[in-house]
Structure formats: structure tokens, C-alpha cells
Amino acid sequence: MLDSKVPAGPLAQKWSNHKFNLKLVNPANKRKFTVIVVGTGLAGASAAASLAELGYNVITFCYQDSPRRAHSIAAQGGINAAKSYQNDGDSVFRLFYDTIKGGDYRSREANVYRLAEVSVNIIDQCVAQGVPFAREYGGLLDNRSFGGAQVSRTFYARGQTGQQLLLGAYSALNRQIKKGKVKSYTRHEMLDLVMIDGHAKGIVTRDLVSGKVETHAAHAVLMCTGGYGNVFFLSTNAMGCNVTAAWRAHKRGAYFANPCYTQIHPTCIPVTGDHQSKLTLMSESLRNDGRVWVPKTQEMSERLRKGEIKANDIQEDDRDYFLERKYPSFGNLVPRDVASRNAKEAVDDGRGVGKTGFAVFLDFKEAIGRLGEDAVRAKYGNLFDMYYQITDENPYKQPMRIYPAVHYTMGGVWVDYNLMTTIPGLYALGECNFSDHGANRLGASALMQGLADGYFVIPYTVGDYLAKLGSFAPVDHSHPAFESTRKEVEEKINKLLSLNGTQTVDDIHKKLGLIMWEYCGMARTAEGLQKAQGLIQELKKEFWTNVRVLGENEELNLSLEKAGRVADFLELGELMVVDALQRAESCGGHFRLESQTEEGEAKRNDEEFAYVSAWEYKGDNVPEELHKEDLVFENVQLTQRSYK
């Protein structure tokens, strides 16, 4: 049975009462405990710094050459908080409601309310660290709007909010490294979880420079390793982002929840060809002033694609601002899943733009005319420059071309209210867990969740676990479990290195990405998902019989790194397809063509699918077992989402 450990009592008091009821570790005893933190993005860096500040001994691991290289730096647009500086009707409850609704009623009420509640503290924490949020003329912090909300609650630092927030957390982490409370391992990748008597007691890592396989012991392990969007090969994630740490923990007993929930971001620079290895995001903040449109007719779109006319030649009456037309209340600021589906519909209708036809316009002509180019440059200058550098097109003079792309994953390792997985002593924070976002994440809430988990949740909840261990003794590093797990890792490495086929790892990864995008992307059908499952099973066989892994272990070996990650992606991809197949409804980013309203919107089935799907690993090539955590809604009414 899945026990979410959601505390009893009124929604607004759950977290406060729960914190009081959690067991505490006194300051002197904190120094006797060691905690491993895997990943140093916003969730990992904030958790490591906070726990070390409390007195715990912390060991951090990242596969980058520096903790500040974590993919959190790529977040652009902002971070939500219910401070209501704009005096426009915002509140903790409204942020809670918008997040529940934005997730299409597929998230835990208690978790989401806690997220909204602690959001106000996150901003104060980051300002104290020196994060240079944008400010109004009078000196107050500025806000802007984001999709899925009718209030301005998004705090930002131009188009580089993630980088600035990470620098704040990184500074706090560095302070603890200097004090000796944090031991930092860079260029180390977690390859397995060490368990003793059913509890997480350490990890196995590979030194990515020397190839040395090592074991590390601790009283608790925190996974803060991000999402798995790179299962699609092309995504907005950095190329190194992977699911390996989470997946290896899953195979040790941590349930994997809602794997089919993938967010497709609507404002990505379109694909240009097979040569690409990743995609680049244009911040959702651009939808504050940019207007999304396509030509009204297929004929005019065809002329655009052939280069016979240019975007600026098309008159206003010949443009279809389809988001403003269909959703007058929210306009261009509808949630990401809604904006993405509508862009796809316009392209499928033959009205796409660009040479490939797989794009729509994001136009700033009206904003530049209203505000002036200097004002637009002050708000979005670095984003416009990035677009120009990539496309060689000037967005001040002509519309941007955008199209949806894989961005964030709402699924992940299942956790209870304390962020603990189904393995005692193993926690998952940030995008690594199945999170608080339901079936669709509202923009600017990823940074909010990562920092909430790291700064304001885990410091309380991990103490409750440690206080109940009954012993302050160091973990026995000589326990046979460490050596046996290390040997298993080495055996898998040797198996990968023995593969001497004709295909590269990237060849297989690209094939997997095409299958996932075609059949488990923006639109899904039972027939397509069944076909995808068979194709992935065939691809797995092809990987283990015909891939070629170059080099040896005792060296820097990118081919070996990729091979291990792609092997895990293949297994995850099949589970994503299975999860999408069993969820015969549409909700948020999970859009089943068989389940839509007459207007083409996602149609939920609350009677049968108001639950979290949590999957238990049962063995190689054995179907996973589905466990259901029923979602109970006591404070919001389940209704059909409408942004009209």
C-alpha cells in the first residue's frame, strides 16, 4: 500500500502542524549523521547548503566539472511566489488553485498548498543571497505574468533567472564546502544505490575522468538529479541530462510515478535538421508581449514557406492570432500544454511557417510599437540576442519562429509528503520526483519547487527519519552490500564495453527519440502506443546486440557514459508508453486522441483515473506492477479546465 503520509487537519495548517509533529535531531547529534546529495542543481545545492548549515555532514556528487554547471542555469523566465506585490488579487490559495488547475487535477492537494505556502519565503531567501531580481523604479521587486494565471506573480532576472538563482544556492554551498561541512565530488556519476536491511545507506559512483568505481556510505541519500526529457533525444535539456540515478534506484525498489507526464514547451526554436543534438528554448515570458499567429489560409502559408513573401508582408486581416481567438480570457498566456496543442493543430492544418512548415510566429511588432524598442530590449534583450545568434534572424524586425518541444517531465520517482521514496532513507527532490505539478507544470514553478524542496521541506523531513534510526554510529562501509553492489556495477560496465556492433549509441538514441516523439509525444493513441512498445522492445534487442561502445573503463570515456544512460532510457521509454496506454484519458500534457471534448480540449475521466500511477520494478523483461495512489480533492472542485 502507498502511504502518502499527508497529515490530517485543515489544508492551511497541515504543514505547520506536521513540522511540529516531526521528530528532531539536536544540534550536537546532527554532527554524527552523514547525508549524500546526488545532483547540485537548485534542489541539490539548496538542500546540501541547508543541511550543512544545520550541522549535518554532507557529501555532494555531480557529473559536471562544477556544481554551478547544473542544468538549472538554463531556466529563463522566472520563479513564482504568492507575494501579491502587484495588488492584483493574488494569494497563497490562488497560487495553489492555479497550480492544481494547471496540472489538470492530477496532483496532491496537500503538496501543492505547501508549495504555494513556502513560495513567499523563497524570494526572501534568494534576495538575502544577492540574487539580482528585476526591480521597479521605486525599488520594489518587479513581477510579470506567465501562462495559466491571470495575476503577475513571477519574479525574474531578465531571461537568466535560473542561472542567478543557482549562483545564490552555489554560493551558499561553497560556503559550507569551505567550512568543511560539505565534501564535493565533481565528474562523478551515480550508477547504483546501496541498500542494507531495506534502507538506503550509500551509492556507487564512477569517476568520469579515471573510470574508477567507488562506493560512498551515508545515513540517508537525496536524489536531486532532474528530469528525463532526453529520452526523446531532442529536447531543451542539456545533452548530459539523464535518468540513470533515478532509474537505478527504481530497480532497487523505488516506485516510478506518472512516467507518461511529459511537458511540451510551446516556445522553442524549431528543429532545422538531423544534425541537431538538442533544442533551444525561448522563455515563456516572451508570451507577455509576443503574439502567436499563423496565416489564415494554407495558400498564404505555402507562399511563405517558398519564400515568395515574408511575414511582414501579411496584413493584420490575414493573420490568425489563434490563442487570442480561442481563449479570450487568457489569450497568449494559456498554459503550456494548451498553447503547444494549438500550435500543432495549426501546423497539421497546413498553416505552419518556416522552410519545414513546423513553426508558428511569435510577433513583437505590436509591443515594440506600444513600448518602444528600448523597453522591449530591456525586458528581453538577452533572449532576442540568443535567438539572433542561433537563427541569424532579427526578432526586432521580423517575428520569431517557434514550435513545441520536450521540456520538463512531471513524472518521476514517487515520494510521500516527506519527499521520501518507497525505499526508507532515500529521498527525491525537485524534478527528479513526480512532483507537485500533476499532468502539466505551470511556467515558473519548476524553480519554485526545486528551492522549496531544498530550502524549506527536506531540512525538516530528513531529520524525522534520522531521529528514528536509533543509532548515531557511522554507516558500516565494510558491509558486504557495498562490495556486492560495486561488483554488479562493474559487471554492467564490462558488459557494455564488450558490445562490438556496427551502430553508435547515438544512432540508437535517435531512433528511440523518434519513436517517443511520434507515438508518445503531443498526441497519443492506443494503437500508436502499442506499436511504440513493440518498436522499443526491438530497439532494446538491437542495442544489446548491435551497438558499439568504444574505449575502456579506466579512462575518460564518453561512449561508455552515453551507453549506460541510453540503456536506461530504453527501459524508461517502454514504461512511459505502458503508463500512457493504461491511462485512457486526456489530462494536461497527456493527450489521448480518443479522449477529447467537442472543442478538441483534453477530456479527463475522474471516475477511473483520479490517481497517481506508481510502478514497481519486478525484474528485467518482466512487466512492472501498477500501484495506485488515489487523489482526494477536498478544497477544489473537479471541473473541466477552461481558459476561455
Side-chain angles (χ1 to χ4, degrees):
M1 293 293 293
L2 285 172
D3 181 6
S4 64
K5 293 186 172 61
V6 172
L11 184 67
Q13 299 173 22
K14 286 183 185 293
W15 179 230
S16 296
N17 293 339
H18 188 61
K19 285 190 292 184
F20 179 76
N21 291 322
L22 290 171
K23 297 290 185 182
L24 299 176
V25 180
N26 78 44
N29 287 335
K30 286 187 175 75
R31 296 192 292 269
K32 301 174 183 177
F33 289 116
T34 299
V35 178
I36 283 174
V37 179
V38 186
T40 55
L42 285 179
S46 60
S50 299
L51 293 174
E53 183 74 35
L54 287 170
Y56 295 106
N57 303 301
V58 179
I59 313 173
T60 64
F61 296 87
C62 68
Y63 63 77
Q64 298 93 346
D65 56 1
S66 166
R68 66 170 290 184
R69 303 268 292 182
H71 189 59
S72 297
I73 65 167
Q76 298 170 342
I79 177 172
N80 289 330
K83 279 188 168 292
S84 195
Y85 281 175
Q86 302 291 334
N87 198 28
D88 57 359
D90 200 10
S91 65
V92 168
F93 192 87
R94 187 175 293 278
L95 175 54
F96 156 73
Y97 176 76
D98 286 346
T99 307
I100 287 282
K101 177 184 176 182
D104 217 351
Y105 305 92
R106 288 296 177 263
S107 48
R108 278 196 207 123
E109 277 193 342
N111 283 57
V112 176
Y113 190 88
R114 176 176 65 187
L115 179 63
E117 183 181 352
V118 304
S119 69
V120 297
N121 299 326
I122 296 172
I123 304 303
D124 296 337
Q125 170 86 6
C126 296
V127 168
Q129 291 174 333
V131 174
F133 287 119
R135 293 181 180 269
E136 296 177 333
Y137 178 76
L140 296 177
L141 298 182
D142 196 10
N143 294 117
R144 56 188 178 197
S145 301
F146 253 64
Q150 291 179 301
V151 297
S152 295
R153 63 164 68 102
T154 304
F155 295 78
Y156 64 98
R158 295 189 75 185
Q160 49 185 256
T161 312
Q163 182 179 24
Q164 298 303 326
L165 291 172
L166 184 61
L167 286 173
Y170 175 64
S171 298
L173 176 61
N174 264 352
R175 179 171 177 268
Q176 297 302 322
I177 293 173
K178 180 69 180 295
K179 290 176 66 176
K181 293 302 296 179
V182 174
K183 186 172 184 180
S184 173
Y185 287 88
T186 60
R187 302 304 305 272
H188 280 67
E189 182 171 24
M190 173 182 165
L191 295 182
D192 214 334
L193 180 72
V194 179
M195 295 180 57
I196 299 176
D197 298 329
H199 288 240
K201 292 300 179 184
I203 63 173
V204 179
T205 64
R206 179 176 180 268
D207 184 325
L208 298 181
V209 177
S210 69
K212 184 179 180 181
V213 177
E214 306 165 329
T215 58
H216 303 269
H219 295 90
V221 177
L222 278 53
M223 292 193 305
C224 312
T225 51
Y228 49 86
N230 276 351
V231 69
F232 290 85
F233 186 73
L234 283 180
S235 79
T236 64
N237 292 182
M239 287 183 65
C241 293
N242 63 83
V243 77
T244 289
W247 192 252
R248 304 288 172 88
H250 171 57
K251 297 177 81 166
R252 292 290 177 187
Y255 290 5
F256 211 95
N258 297 336
C260 77
Y261 288 167
T262 306
Q263 180 173 80
I264 312 293
H265 198 295
T267 55
C268 180
I269 297 178
V271 177
T272 57
D274 293 338
H275 63 281
Q276 284 184 268
S277 56
K278 76 173 299 294
L279 300 173
T280 304
L281 182 70
M282 288 287 99
S283 169
E284 181 177 315
S285 63
L286 295 173
R287 289 198 278 146
N288 273 280
D289 292 303
R291 303 178 70 192
V292 179
W293 66 275
V294 292
K296 285 185 176 179
T297 65
Q298 296 176 354
E299 291 76 15
M300 193 163 290
S301 295
E302 180 68 21
R303 293 184 64 196
L304 265 176
R305 292 193 290 270
K306 290 180 177 178
E308 296 175 0
I309 58 174
K310 296 182 179 180
N312 291 333
D313 297 330
I314 300 177
Q315 302 301 309
E316 284 292 312
D317 290 344
D318 295 322
R319 300 182 177 193
D320 179 14
Y321 295 94
F322 53 88
L323 294 179
E324 298 173 31
R325 170 174 56 82
K326 295 178 68 173
Y327 308 97
S329 292
F330 283 74
N332 293 297
L333 287 173
V334 293
R336 293 174 177 178
D337 62 316
V338 177
S340 295
R341 275 198 298 277
N342 279 271
K344 182 179 185 298
E345 287 178 11
V347 167
D348 291 347
D349 189 39
R351 295 185 294 143
V353 301
K355 291 182 179 179
T356 65
F358 286 91
V360 299
F361 286 129
L362 182 63
D363 198 335
F364 290 85
K365 180 180 179 181
E366 188 272 339
I368 291 173
R370 173 170 46 87
L371 303 171
E373 185 173 317
D374 288 343
V376 172
R377 190 183 304 275
K379 295 172 73 173
Y380 310 116
N382 63 315
L383 296 170
F384 277 44
D385 182 62
M386 182 166 63
Y387 182 86
Y388 174 72
Q389 295 296 333
I390 292 172
T391 65
D392 197 28
E393 297 173 5
N394 186 346
Y396 294 102
K397 303 300 182 184
Q398 62 189 91
M400 288 183 178
R401 290 176 297 106
I402 59 169
Y403 195 63
V406 172
H407 181 52
Y408 187 93
T409 50
M410 286 75 67
V413 180
W414 185 91
V415 292
D416 62 19
Y417 190 70
N418 293 326
L419 304 184
M420 190 187 287
T421 70
T422 46
I423 297 176
L426 177 67
Y427 294 80
L429 285 65
E431 190 180 358
C432 177
N433 71 30
F434 84 104
S435 74
D436 308 333
H437 310 301
N440 172 59
R441 177 177 69 84
L442 290 184
S445 58
L447 305 183
M448 177 174 62
Q449 188 220 343
L451 292 180
D453 288 354
Y455 282 137
F456 298 109
V457 179
I458 200 64
Y460 290 97
T461 59
V462 77
D464 182 68
Y465 170 75
L466 296 173
K468 295 174 181 177
L469 287 180
S471 172
F472 303 122
V475 176
D476 182 9
H477 201 192
S478 65
H479 192 283
F482 285 92
E483 181 62 17
S484 63
T485 309
R486 185 185 65 81
K487 285 183 176 180
E488 289 180 37
V489 168
E490 290 181 337
E491 287 171 3
K492 182 162 187 176
I493 289 173
N494 291 332
K495 183 177 180 181
L496 289 169
L497 289 170
S498 70
L499 299 175
N500 193 31
T502 61
Q503 296 202 53
T504 68
V505 175
D506 277 345
D507 289 337
I508 301 294
H509 196 179
K510 286 180 181 179
K511 290 179 182 179
L512 174 63
L514 288 172
I515 294 169
M516 297 300 297
W517 180 251
E518 178 69 22
Y519 302 109
C520 200
M522 278 194 283
R524 304 160 181 189
T525 65
E527 181 182 3
L529 291 166
Q530 289 168 349
K531 181 178 180 179
Q533 187 177 8
L535 291 173
I536 294 172
Q537 289 173 348
E538 291 175 9
L539 194 60
K540 275 201 294 187
K541 294 177 183 176
E542 188 176 356
F543 175 89
W544 288 108
T545 58
N546 197 32
V547 81
R548 184 170 188 176
V549 181
L550 302 173
E552 299 180 5
N553 183 36
E554 291 74 23
E555 62 182 3
L556 177 65
N557 189 336
L558 298 180
S559 178
L560 176 60
E561 289 175 36
K562 288 182 180 179
R565 295 167 187 171
V566 172
D568 294 330
F569 277 140
L570 286 164
E571 295 178 359
L572 168 68
E574 184 175 2
L575 183 61
M576 290 173 67
V577 167
V578 170
D579 187 49
L581 186 58
Q582 67 85 30
R583 189 171 285 277
E585 65 163 353
S586 291
C587 54
H590 169 63
F591 193 73
R592 288 283 295 268
L593 291 178
E594 305 96 331
S595 183
Q596 55 183 305
T597 67
E598 293 180 358
E599 296 178 320
E601 304 292 346
K603 184 178 181 181
R604 297 193 320 272
N605 181 347
D606 295 328
E607 291 185 4
E608 296 184 57
F609 296 102
Y611 61 75
V612 175
S613 58
W615 296 89
E616 179 185 4
Y617 178 77
K618 306 298 287 186
D620 290 343
N621 300 314
V622 177
E624 300 211 5
E625 182 178 348
L626 174 62
H627 301 267
K628 299 177 181 179
E629 178 200 338
D630 293 331
L631 294 169
V632 179
F633 296 92
E634 299 174 342
N635 299 274
V636 296
Q637 183 179 355
L638 285 166
T639 59
Q640 178 65 40
R641 268 197 321 170
S642 175
Y643 291 94
K644 296 183 181 296

